[in-house]
Amino acid sequence: MAVSKIKKAHFIIHVKLKEEIISDLQKAGCVQIKDVTSKIEKSYFSHYKEVKDRQIESTLSEVKYCIDYFSHFKSKSKKPEKYIEKTKKLYDFNNLHNLFINYKYEDAYNECKTLDATLKDLKNRENYLTNLKDYLSEWEGLNIKIEDLKNSVKTSIMIGMTEIKNLPLCIQEINKIGKEIEIVKISESKKYCKLAIIAIKDHYETIRKVTNKYNFNYFKIPEDYSGDVKNIQQKIQLEMTNLKKEQETIIEKSIKIYEENLSLYIIFDYLSILKSRKDAERYIKQTDKVMVIEGWTLEKNQDRLKKFFYDKYKELEIVFSNPNKNDEIPVALNNNNFVEPFESVTELYGIPKYKEFDPTPLFAPFYFIFFGMCLSDAGYGLVITLLSFFALKKLKLEGMAKKFFGLFFLGGISTFVVGALMGSWMGDIVNYFPESMQPIRIFLLEKITLLNPIENPMPLLIISLVLGVIQIYTGFIIKFVSNVQEKKLTTGLMDQGSWLLFISGIIFYIITVVIPSFSAMKMFSNYVIYAGLISLVLTQGRGNKGIVLKIAGGVLSLYDLIGYFSDILSYSRLFALGLSTAVLAVVVNNFVMLFKDIPFFGIILATLVFIIGHVFNMVISGMGAFIHSTRLQYVEFFTKFYEGGGSAFKPFKAKTKYIKIKTN
Amino acid sequence: MITQGIVIAFLGSATAIGLACSGSGIGVGIAGAAGIGVLTEEPEKFGLVLFLQAFPGTQGIYGLLVGFWVLMKTGILGGSPMPITLDQGMQIFFACIPIGIVGFFSGWYQGKTAAAAIGLAARNPEGLGKAIVMVTMVETYAVFSLLASLLLFNGIGL
């Protein structure tokens, strides 16, 4: 069904054609090249020599340097993607080559390098000045010129500060040293005192020792300045304004270069493509004359590939073969438009192995319904559908992102339908309709609505559990069918058959108890339960040795029943989450009505509360709907039959970041 | 009219909201601290980290939901409380217990699991799908207790 058929392909070509063929393979984009270097045994294949095109790698790193440098200014200017989209949407590969040849990227690179270096220097200088400014602000009271502080031939001047509590002792001790010392208090604050000590040179060392003892903090003289502290501060201020201006000019220059050199982004992609080709060469084995490219391709592409390469080259042979059992075959999923978005859920869990079947079409309908039941509001459904529709149309998404938006688009539709059936339109907004819209209200609430979970929650709970039973049954049946396909009919009958019989019996029994008209069938349901029970006890312990252990294993397996019933109960979350969305929406509407009665700006407040409240509820409940629907598939459904753990088919193709390449 | 029953109903509503929101607060805090750790090295993972951090937030919402439902159904929110007897008030209080207690612990522990999932998402983004399932396993019990609270409340018959 949905796992695509894969063929092994061998391209046997002349060495001369290596580069051309690799580039053509990349353009074709439908072959996954296999790494065979580790398996090379035969000696006639020469060992792979590291092909590193220095040219490409160094150029790429230089271009990347420019792009990184520009990224600092990108927010201040237009984005490269927009520019590229405007000029041309699709690039031809040959054009790219010409663009690269004619474009002098080195100029941009050199300019970026100088600008970057200057900018860094300016920033460093700015940091230095800011620190100096902060430091000097402590010394604002110093009215001496800096150049006067320089020591003369016979005297030295020491300026610094110390804690006031140390001051008397410190002065005392300094005075003891000699008579030719003058101590002047410059200023005093609560904790510190600033001092100037003037002494003849002979005393310098001794004073130094004493002051160090008292944690005397010397004033660091800013050597490259002159004048008093206030003067210096003004000079620094001036220099800083200049620095700012210089930085701005450099930023302006950079933005200009950035805008002139948007081609760099295209070059980056071009070089990345070239590099990926070089990387692919590592996977190839070759002799002196012949080389072999081994890879995987989808069966449907087989003829197209053959035609393309045979028409173009003569010295080439392509051999397609069926994959071996021992190969690790890559897996590509292939589903119709409805099912495809749900592949994202499968991929999150782990895609199937090649021999397994794809579970996506099997859970897609369940997921569709579950998502709707968890969110269950027609208004939210409509909003989500429209938003994801525009996202799909406008953003031109690919891969995983496209699938996710597709998932939300479908989920939105389901939410709309379920919400309408439960009469929930942004909560109970329909009730607030004015008199003139009464017919709409009656139509929405009385014609369309089937059940109202806020008034009467039980039916919805039962529906949730019934859906659970259906999905668990489906899981058993799928496993049974796959057992039959693998020619293990007896295993299927014993494992899944017994359980189906047993659980059906129990459910049948519950029905006969709850619904009186079925009570006549009670005996029959008992027989079904007994049959199931006996077959379970007889078969489930068959792996054990000896009759006693076999029976014991069978009896023990009944314990699984608890697991299956907790699985079914787990589906009650559909009810709880659906109800919580509805009730929260009603609460939001209640608040809106409270705010509406405030005079003057009550309407504005009410509108704000309405929008914020409903967006919040929609996002939180939407996240819950996605997560819990996913969980039900993973934990309750997949465990019945699915293994996963395959590796995805990743064809060798041009991967680009900024532009799109034309493909044939 | 304020009856003793209404007072007990207040207690119920406050229990549901207060306990469940505390649990969520703790949980979101734990997950957030782990998230910031990841963001210091990989700021581009902000969206992913925020998504995982939001997981333990749901318990608070469930608590709020039950609390508000009590207030709505007893007419307190509308400004005209119903004459609720003491017995009914006690019933309401007990109906609020499951989401309050379970919300508290489940929010707390989901925070721890979410923090671990954030760590995994930072190192190996491909394992994210499985990590989310692990985190959701904790949530299950909050959903069940919400269900229990709603069903218990529904059984009171106001």
Side-chain angles (χ1 to χ4, degrees):
Chain A
M1 185 158 36
V3 174
S4 308
K5 280 244 184 290
I6 298 262
K7 285 270 184 186
K8 204 185 226 178
H10 285 89
F11 292 75
I12 300 142
I13 52 182
H14 194 270
V15 173
K16 260 199 317 201
L17 292 173
K18 178 158 92 178
E19 300 209 337
E20 282 175 68
I21 299 260
I22 289 181
S23 86
D24 274 335
L25 274 176
Q26 190 176 38
K27 267 185 216 161
C30 57
V31 179
Q32 176 178 346
I33 297 181
K34 212 170 137 191
D35 183 1
V36 289
T37 44
S38 57
K39 287 182 203 152
I40 293 176
E41 287 153 14
K42 299 195 173 120
S43 55
Y44 51 77
F45 284 124
S46 62
H47 275 287
Y48 162 75
K49 286 184 217 82
E50 189 99 343
V51 220
K52 248 198 190 160
D53 206 314
R54 286 273 161 225
Q55 185 76 44
I56 292 177
E57 285 202 1
S58 64
T59 316
L60 187 64
S61 75
E62 282 171 6
V63 171
K64 181 143 192 335
Y65 172 84
C66 295
I67 288 178
D68 287 345
Y69 176 67
F70 287 148
S71 68
H72 301 298
F73 317 107
K74 216 158 89 176
S75 54
K76 292 175 192 158
S77 185
K78 51 185 175 179
K79 289 204 165 175
E81 292 88 345
K82 280 201 177 146
Y83 160 77
I84 290 162
E85 240 178 53
K86 260 181 212 162
T87 45
K88 216 177 188 185
K89 288 214 170 116
L90 282 174
Y91 282 82
D92 195 293
F93 194 80
N94 298 329
N95 289 350
L96 279 184
H97 184 67
N98 291 336
L99 189 82
F100 177 63
I101 300 282
N102 297 328
Y103 173 69
K104 292 257 177 299
Y105 88 91
E106 294 93 342
D107 296 348
Y109 172 65
N110 288 332
E111 268 183 282
C112 280
K113 230 165 115 182
T114 12
L115 286 176
D116 196 12
T118 336
L119 199 62
K120 269 183 192 141
D121 285 348
L122 289 177
K123 284 216 168 113
N124 285 341
R125 180 75 188 159
E126 197 181 5
N127 280 341
Y128 168 73
L129 288 180
T130 329
N131 288 338
L132 187 61
K133 210 176 130 199
D134 283 353
Y135 180 70
L136 283 180
S137 66
E138 274 181 36
W139 290 93
E140 263 171 6
L142 199 66
N143 287 327
I144 316 164
K145 284 187 180 164
I146 298 288
E147 53 265 39
D148 292 345
L149 288 176
K150 290 192 181 127
N151 299 336
S152 65
V153 186
K154 293 222 167 131
T155 61
S156 50
I157 304 172
M158 286 160 268
I159 291 182
M161 60 179 175
T162 185
E163 282 180 66
I164 285 193
K165 60 177 186 194
N166 293 335
L167 195 62
L169 275 176
C170 182
I171 292 177
Q172 213 179 349
E173 229 173 294
I174 293 174
N175 280 332
K176 272 185 198 161
I177 295 171
K179 279 188 177 165
E180 302 86 349
I181 298 172
E182 180 74 29
I183 302 177
V184 184
K185 263 191 205 176
I186 300 171
S187 67
E188 215 172 310
S189 69
K190 252 185 190 169
K191 246 182 129 183
Y192 293 98
C193 179
K194 286 174 189 144
L195 291 179
I197 307 167
I198 304 143
I200 57 166
K201 275 254 160 98
D202 301 348
H203 293 321
Y204 179 77
E205 289 299 321
T206 355
I207 294 176
R208 217 47 214 209
K209 262 181 208 159
V210 172
T211 49
N212 280 347
K213 204 168 80 187
Y214 291 103
N215 291 330
F216 198 74
N217 228 336
Y218 281 95
F219 173 57
K220 286 182 213 106
I221 300 170
E223 300 282 356
D224 34 357
Y225 289 96
S226 60
D228 64 5
V229 172
K230 277 210 175 122
N231 260 328
I232 295 177
Q233 277 180 326
Q234 281 165 0
K235 277 179 200 160
I236 290 177
Q237 194 58 48
L238 193 75
E239 197 182 336
M240 278 175 83
T241 9
N242 284 338
L243 276 180
K244 276 257 176 307
K245 267 183 208 154
E246 276 178 61
Q247 281 189 38
E248 266 163 33
T249 27
I250 290 200
I251 290 174
E252 266 169 36
K253 258 191 209 166
S254 307
I255 291 178
K256 206 172 146 232
I257 294 179
Y258 159 70
E259 281 170 351
E260 281 167 1
N261 288 287
L262 284 165
S263 313
L264 271 175
Y265 292 87
I266 304 169
I267 298 294
F268 177 80
D269 274 348
Y270 171 72
L271 291 170
S272 309
I273 293 171
L274 289 190
K275 186 170 174 286
S276 69
R277 283 184 195 167
K278 288 285 166 209
D279 289 344
E281 277 182 35
R282 287 176 206 192
Y283 296 155
I284 297 164
K285 48 186 173 181
Q286 66 181 74
T287 66
D288 290 339
K289 295 268 167 58
V290 180
M291 55 183 278
V292 183
I293 302 175
E294 198 175 324
W296 305 107
T297 188
L298 302 182
E299 198 182 53
K300 61 177 181 185
N301 289 332
Q302 197 177 324
D303 296 329
R304 204 164 61 97
L305 269 177
K306 253 187 188 169
K307 191 175 171 323
F308 177 75
F309 280 99
Y310 282 151
D311 285 352
K312 200 164 170 187
Y313 303 103
K314 278 183 187 149
E315 304 88 341
L316 163 133
E317 184 64 44
I318 310 177
V319 183
F320 290 101
S321 57
N322 284 323
N324 282 333
K325 267 190 182 167
N326 301 332
D327 286 327
E328 211 178 280
I329 309 161
V331 175
L333 302 180
N334 177 27
N335 285 303
N336 61 31
N337 287 342
F338 173 76
V339 176
E340 203 191 343
F342 296 97
E343 283 174 7
S344 55
V345 177
T346 316
E347 282 163 22
L348 264 182
Y349 186 87
I351 60 169
K353 293 200 189 91
Y354 185 66
K355 287 282 164 197
E356 237 179 324
F357 53 87
D358 179 10
T360 318
L362 299 167
F363 75 74
F366 288 109
Y367 198 104
F368 182 71
I369 298 171
F370 292 172
F371 191 97
M373 286 185 70
C374 288
L375 204 49
S376 71
D377 187 285
Y380 296 168
L382 208 59
V383 172
I384 289 178
T385 310
L386 289 177
L387 283 181
S388 35
F389 179 75
F390 281 119
L392 283 173
K393 280 277 154 203
K394 283 270 164 195
L395 298 181
K396 299 213 175 63
L397 300 159
E398 268 176 24
M400 202 68 163
K402 186 183 165 196
K403 285 178 190 170
F404 266 121
F405 275 101
L407 191 70
F408 278 105
F409 176 70
L410 292 173
I413 294 174
S414 162
T415 307
F416 177 76
V417 174
V418 175
L421 292 179
M422 294 185 190
S424 182
W425 298 82
M426 296 264 182
D428 56 350
I429 201 173
V430 181
N431 287 335
Y432 300 107
F433 278 177
E435 208 51 45
S436 56
M437 289 164 80
Q438 281 311 309
I440 302 180
R441 191 187 96 90
I442 290 167
F443 173 72
L444 289 180
L445 286 191
E446 285 167 25
K447 292 276 162 61
I448 299 184
T449 306
L450 290 182
L451 55 111
N452 183 344
I454 295 184
E455 311 246 299
N456 184 13
M458 288 319 278
L460 187 60
L461 180 59
I462 291 167
I463 290 173
S464 303
L465 295 179
V466 167
L467 278 171
V469 172
I470 294 172
Q471 195 174 29
I472 302 269
Y473 265 64
T474 317
F476 275 126
I477 292 166
I478 291 166
K479 183 71 190 170
F480 179 73
V481 172
S482 79
N483 267 335
V484 172
Q485 277 173 348
E486 287 170 37
K487 307 216 166 83
K488 291 191 282 191
L489 177 65
T490 43
T491 317
L493 276 178
M494 285 192 283
D495 288 351
Q496 285 77 45
S498 325
W499 272 115
L500 281 175
L501 203 61
F502 188 40
I503 296 178
S504 312
I506 294 174
I507 291 167
F508 199 29
Y509 179 76
I510 295 172
I511 292 173
T512 56
V513 172
V514 177
I515 305 168
S517 56
F518 278 94
S519 57
M521 312 276 276
K522 212 171 202 163
M523 282 304 285
F524 177 68
S525 72
N526 283 344
Y527 289 139
V528 179
I529 292 178
Y530 293 145
L533 209 57
I534 291 165
S535 62
L536 278 175
V537 171
L538 288 181
T539 60
Q540 291 306 298
R542 63 182 184 278
N544 294 341
K545 273 180 194 166
I547 186 79
V548 182
L549 281 180
K550 275 186 206 291
I551 296 293
V555 174
L556 267 183
S557 79
L558 292 178
Y559 184 73
D560 289 345
L561 181 69
I562 298 171
Y564 295 137
F565 269 87
S566 76
D567 282 353
I568 291 169
L569 281 181
S570 182
Y571 287 82
S572 64
R573 79 185 64 228
L574 295 176
F575 158 73
L577 290 170
L579 194 60
S580 94
T581 320
V583 175
L584 274 180
V586 172
V587 170
V588 170
N589 288 341
N590 271 331
F591 268 109
V592 171
M593 295 321 278
L594 287 181
F595 279 101
K596 200 196 68 175
D597 298 332
I598 300 171
F600 301 122
F601 41 93
I603 294 292
I604 302 169
L605 272 180
T607 320
L608 271 180
V609 170
F610 182 83
I611 292 171
I612 294 172
H614 281 299
V615 166
F616 176 78
N617 187 17
M618 192 174 76
V619 169
I620 291 287
S621 304
M623 197 174 119
F626 167 70
I627 287 161
H628 285 280
S629 317
T630 308
R631 178 225 131 102
L632 284 177
Q633 313 307 326
Y634 289 176
V635 181
E636 270 76 26
F637 192 50
F638 281 1
T639 48
K640 303 289 173 295
F641 63 93
Y642 183 64
E643 272 178 46
S647 52
F649 175 69
K650 287 180 197 137
F652 173 56
K653 61 180 168 191
K655 272 191 195 142
T656 53
K657 210 170 162 187
Y658 302 102
I659 56 170
K660 279 186 182 155
I661 302 278
K662 210 188 271 176
T663 47
N664 13 346
Chain B
M1 190 175 71
I2 301 295
T3 58
Q4 274 179 312
I6 279 288
V7 176
I8 304 291
F10 264 100
L11 180 61
S13 178
T15 311
I17 299 175
L19 280 180
C21 285
S22 306
S24 274
I26 298 172
V28 171
I30 295 172
I36 293 168
V38 170
L39 290 183
T40 46
E41 291 197 357
E42 293 167 280
E44 69 278 2
K45 291 213 164 119
F46 177 70
L48 184 68
V49 167
L50 189 71
F51 174 68
L52 285 167
Q53 195 201 356
F55 270 85
T58 40
Q59 280 83 351
I61 296 172
Y62 297 153
L64 209 63
L65 174 77
V66 171
F68 271 119
W69 216 23
V70 169
L71 297 183
M72 264 162 50
K73 289 275 173 174
T74 51
I76 296 169
L77 207 63
S80 50
M82 288 158 67
I84 288 173
T85 65
L86 187 58
D87 285 353
Q88 282 175 324
M90 291 300 276
Q91 279 181 307
I92 291 173
F93 175 61
F94 288 137
C96 291
I97 291 284
I99 188 60
I101 294 178
V102 181
F104 181 80
F105 286 105
S106 147
W108 180 359
Y109 280 86
Q110 197 175 23
K112 291 187 177 185
T113 330
I118 288 172
L120 180 136
R123 267 171 254 132
N124 171 23
E126 271 144 40
L128 182 67
K130 283 140 200 137
I132 287 177
V133 179
M134 300 290 154
V135 180
T136 327
M137 296 303 263
V138 188
E139 174 111 2
T140 301
Y141 302 99
V143 177
F144 285 168
S145 66
L146 169 68
L147 185 73
S149 281
L150 291 177
L151 290 180
L152 285 171
F153 189 84
N154 197 49
I156 296 172
L158 291 171

